[in-house]
Amino acid sequence: MGNVDLTEIPESQKLAYIAQQAADGRVNLEFETDEGMTLNIGPQHPATHGTLRIVAKLDGEQVISCEPAPGYMHRGYEKLTEVRTYPQVTTLINRIDWLGSFANEVPFILAAEQLMGIEAPPRAQYIRTILFELSRIANISLFLGDLGIQLGGITVGFYAFRDREFVLNQIEAVTGGRFHPNFDRIGGLKDDLPKGWIAETKKAMEKMRAFCDEVEDLLIGNEIFQARTRGIGVIPPEIGLAYGLTGANIRGSGVDWDLRRDRCPAGLVYDKVDWKVWTHPDGDCFARSWVRLQEVREATKIVDQLLDSIPSGPVMAKVPRIIKVPEGEAYVATENPLGEMGYYIVSQGDLVPFRVKIRSASFSNVSIVPWVCRGVYVPDVISILASLYFILGDIDR
Amino acid sequence: MIPLSSAETQVPEADASEEAAPHDEALEVLLARVSAEFGDAVVGSHIRPGQHLWVRVTRDAWRDAARFARFELACEFFDFLSAIDWMPSPFGRDMDSQEDIAVFGKPQRESQPQRSGYAGGDTRFQLFARVYSVSRHHGLIFKTDLPDDDLSADSWVPVYAGANWHERETWEMFGITFNGHPHLRHLYLPSDFEGHPLRKDFPLLSRRIKPWPGIVDVEPMPGEAAGEGGGEDEGSE
Amino acid sequence: MSAQLAVLAALDWDLPYWAVTLIKVLVAALLVPTTALILGIVFLFKIMSWMQSRLGPQEAGPKGLLQLLADGVKFLQKEDVIPERADRFAFKVAPMIVLVSTFLLYVIIPAGPDPAVIADLPTGIFFALAVSSLSVIGVLMAGWASANKYALMGGIRAAGQLIAYELPMVLAVVGVIIQAGTLNMNGIVVAQANFKLFGDVGPGIPFIITQLPMFLIFLAAMQAELTQPPFDMPVAESELVSGYQVEYTGFRFLFFFLAEFATAFAFGAIASVLFLGGWYLPGLDVNSEWFWLIGPAVLFAKIMLVSFLIFWFRFTYPRLREDQLQRLAWKWLIPISLVWLAVTAVFKVVM
């Protein structure tokens, strides 16, 4: 142990050290293999949406215990934020949940705004909320498709990829980026909406509602799907809360809790629209999937209402060009597509944050996997992982 | 389009609201309950009206604080647990490349005083964790100081099962051990990784090799006074 | 037209036994890859992409029709990788066994009246059911020999599944056999040509009218035998990463691929013969020599119809779990087929 002071050693050795650290991308697990068969699900496996490794100990097809081993994609964002100015940080945190990138930026920006004591103009708040919900729709529609792929019905996946394009096109029209918009600024937004965007978005929302109906017909209502998901991976609400489950995962367990409604941070305008938080009492894989489906429908409604009532005005408040955040601490969390995502920012009045703790949803959501996967069959592990819905970048920040 | 509001009208409003709401009754009631339970074990507190309550407890009361929050305050939702290294970074903002050092020599950094955040702090390492009550809609952020010679605290896993991974991450990132944790082992890093990356004295390797262009590249915008932005930036280093 | 009749006539009378056998073997050897290609292109590429609202392959050949040929060439070029700890002999033999079982299935499929079948066995359907089970051995060998846990699980799942679904399949076939009174494939076709529901009037009716539950059970069992969704647990891509095929590359994988689609075609043919009247077209005289000509076309059309059903299910349904699959076989398909068998037997005796 001991920290290497790299300023003292020559260049060539430094590179060798870095290369060795990079090549040593393995995670060792102290895992007994005396009885049963140890099955490595991952790091390269279609069910892990990336490079998550799940080590399962099997007895026949039954899982005795299983242990996720993340870290194959850890990028050290909490450390990297400490050497980047506040506006630069949004570029990084876009990559945390890469399917709903815009939603990642918002809580960080809101936390910085809170510390600086500024507020974005109303129009910016509306557009922010709209884009937030659009990224939610883009994200969860892919979840619905992926759910089908994981359970063997690949057609839904193609429908999801097809219809997600409508939303991505709208995001691209505003921000110029399909996956990583980097559009949110402290004090507002980079730009206003382009011409004709509101009408186009309304059409896209119609298409997404049709997509939801299609998924409900093809997948959620399917008897085989229900046989595979009902009663599988039941998470009681108190266990889920102790593990820090958020979002649709905890609403699928019957906990009526949505940060958009219950703790809407200043800077988002969810209180101005009429929508419903769906819950499901069962707590199984089906409940989680169903809640997510309803969430997409509600999100399209939110977007429609916001588009109707969007005020005019500037999209950027007056902020200093060199952004220095006053000393203080702030924790702002929003209801992201995957669940509660928050940034605990400690500022010491500098250009860069002193410490940023990224509270990402998937990290907590996946930490329940060892608890919920005991005694299930191998195919159920796939159902549970698919219904818990994690994005790997959201676990390995 | 007629602007309904503008940036000029927004900023004073925000200022006014900050001055107008100096206290938050719900959080004060909560603080009173925690203080009544723990008495002297509460060594610091801070309220940010409408946002959060910070409570700093002694290290001995760390797990009791969790138990009290969960069973008495109904904070059944475990949000996160992590740590802060309050030591000022010996590398500054890590903007110097090896080339710079070779040409200009190693810059002498004045030793900055160690500061701490809300609810105070005495030592270098501080644990913090947030819990929340979904049913009663209140939550609080606990903090505790860890002495430098004994970086350990009681584990929260017996109270909140979800603290498991958070404590493993904190252990490998800061080197803080948790007594009573079922199995502290590496979560993200390879098991033979040396050092604790989120400590301030752990160098950010990529930055040591190559300068980050963004942070030094502060040029005045066209039409703006040259000294306005740049001077401020340089003064803060 | 007349030339073809002449060939058929020559097959029947003039050529020596060895020449007839050679021609038949060549035809079978040609049929297996061709039919696999046809099914692959039509269903896996074209119908699938149409159902999934995408374009599918577009570049190779007109409208991408030659894509599968290009893929085949690609497979042949690939390196033949055998895992270090694999049982090399079993690993190499396994795909061949699977393919041989497919070849043997083609032997008894009648494309027309007698000479248009490679071997017109008196116990044709019995033979078909027997050799179709051979592939289990190959699959189990592949799973075991690959020295891979996923492959092993896939192989064992496949064995359990194929054995479980043999039974409903046999029972479904038995219903037809009882009604036709013969095990001979051509005999079953002729029986359907002569089968009249109401007295002696009207055209011959395919057995699907009377054996509809058996047809559906046969379809389900066929789907399971072919390891296609919703019964594709042995190769489940998102769980077992292609199961017993996971370690195979190049032409060995191509063998599995060919066997899968050619078996689908063969089973489609068997289903058409058993339930849809085979090469017979209702309304025509079953003894007409024209069936040597239009028989293959009629059979092909029926096979494509059945294959469409198979692949329609495949592209639509999610995957069942292994225990749910066994439950479906033992608790639903087998009892239903037994009941229908009893009903068929009673009617056979009464009528």
Side-chain angles (χ1 to χ4, degrees), chain C residues 160-172 213-214 217-218 220-221 325-342:
Chain C
Q161 168 175 340
L162 298 186
I163 289 167
Y165 275 80
E166 279 294 297
L167 204 52
M169 180 175 255
V170 169
L171 289 173
M214 294 301 209
I217 287 168
F218 190 84
L325 162 122
Q326 301 284 356
R327 205 170 298 146
L328 180 70
W330 294 101
K331 287 192 177 169
W332 293 100
L333 297 186
I334 291 174
I336 292 173
S337 53
L338 281 174
V339 167
W340 201 256
L341 204 59

Side-chain angles (χ1 to χ4, degrees), chain C residues 79-142:
Chain C
E79 190 189 350
D80 178 27
V81 182
I82 298 178
E84 199 183 12
R85 290 166 64 192
D87 183 339
R88 295 179 72 88
F89 175 72
F91 186 85
K92 285 178 184 167
V93 168
M96 295 178 195
I97 290 179
V98 174
L99 198 58
V100 161
S101 127
T102 309
F103 265 106
L104 291 177
L105 268 182
Y106 275 73
V107 165
I108 45 83
I109 294 168
D114 183 22
V117 51
I118 293 166
D120 194 14
L121 300 176
T123 54
I125 185 64
F126 180 72
F127 175 82
L129 292 174
V131 295
S132 74
S133 322
L134 262 185
S135 66
V136 183
I137 300 171
V139 166
L140 207 52
M141 277 169 79

Side-chain angles (χ1 to χ4, degrees), chain B residues 26-179:
Chain B
L27 292 181
E28 278 171 9
V29 169
L30 201 63
L31 176 61
R33 285 192 66 182
V34 178
S35 304
E37 171 74 16
F38 289 104
D40 288 345
V42 174
V43 283
S45 68
H46 180 88
I47 290 177
R48 214 181 146 92
Q51 298 297 338
H52 301 292
L53 163 67
W54 281 263
V55 176
R56 185 158 66 100
V57 297
T58 57
R59 188 165 64 129
D60 298 332
W62 180 240
R63 189 186 285 167
D64 290 337
R67 197 169 285 132
F68 178 72
R70 176 161 188 188
F71 296 110
E72 304 296 323
L73 299 178
C75 292
E76 63 278 80
F77 173 64
F78 172 77
D79 204 345
F80 61 81
L81 182 148
S82 191
I84 311 176
D85 179 3
W86 285 112
M87 186 177 90
S89 170
F91 306 109
R93 247 177 273 131
D94 263 327
M95 52 177 283
D96 308 304
S97 68
Q98 296 303 307
E99 288 80 7
D100 291 339
I101 292 172
V103 174
F104 301 109
K106 205 171 175 182
Q108 294 298 313
R109 301 183 190 283
E110 72 274 35
S111 57
Q112 291 169 318
Q114 178 173 316
R115 289 183 280 179
S116 63
Y118 291 161
D122 305 323
T123 56
R124 181 180 161 191
F125 288 100
Q126 193 171 47
L127 279 180
F128 66 104
R130 179 166 183 265
V131 293
Y132 192 76
S133 171
V134 174
S135 49
R136 300 189 195 165
H137 297 294
H138 60 229
L140 64 170
I141 298 172
F142 282 113
K143 283 185 166 189
T144 191
D145 293 333
L146 302 175
D148 288 341
D149 51 351
D150 178 23
L151 288 179
S152 68
D154 285 338
S155 169
W156 272 22
V157 177
V159 188
Y160 294 103
N164 189 332
W165 278 28
H166 292 263
E167 287 180 357
R168 276 170 69 186
E169 189 193 6
T170 309
W171 171 73
E172 70 178 357
M173 292 296 175
F174 289 95
I176 297 167
T177 49
F178 291 90
N179 308 323

Side-chain angles (χ1 to χ4, degrees), chain A residues 131 134-135 138 167-178 181 197:
Chain A
L131 287 173
L134 284 184
S135 52
V167 180
L168 286 184
N169 286 343
Q170 293 315 107
I171 294 177
E172 186 187 10
V174 186
T175 65
R178 292 162 66 77
W197 190 81

Side-chain angles (χ1 to χ4, degrees), chain A residues 64-81:
Chain A
I64 301 171
S65 61
C66 84
E67 179 70 44
Y72 289 87
M73 216 176 150
H74 192 254
R75 295 154 291 181
Y77 281 169
E78 290 182 11
K79 184 82 176 173
L80 290 176
T81 52

Side-chain angles (χ1 to χ4, degrees), chain A residues 19-50:
Chain A
Q20 182 230 318
Q21 292 291 337
D24 188 31
R26 63 172 195 274
V27 180
N28 291 351
L29 277 178
E30 297 82 5
F31 209 80
E32 311 90 295
T33 50
D34 306 338
E35 53 185 49
M37 180 170 90
T38 308
L39 186 73
N40 260 306
I41 303 175
Q44 302 292 332
H45 189 279
T48 56
H49 331 233

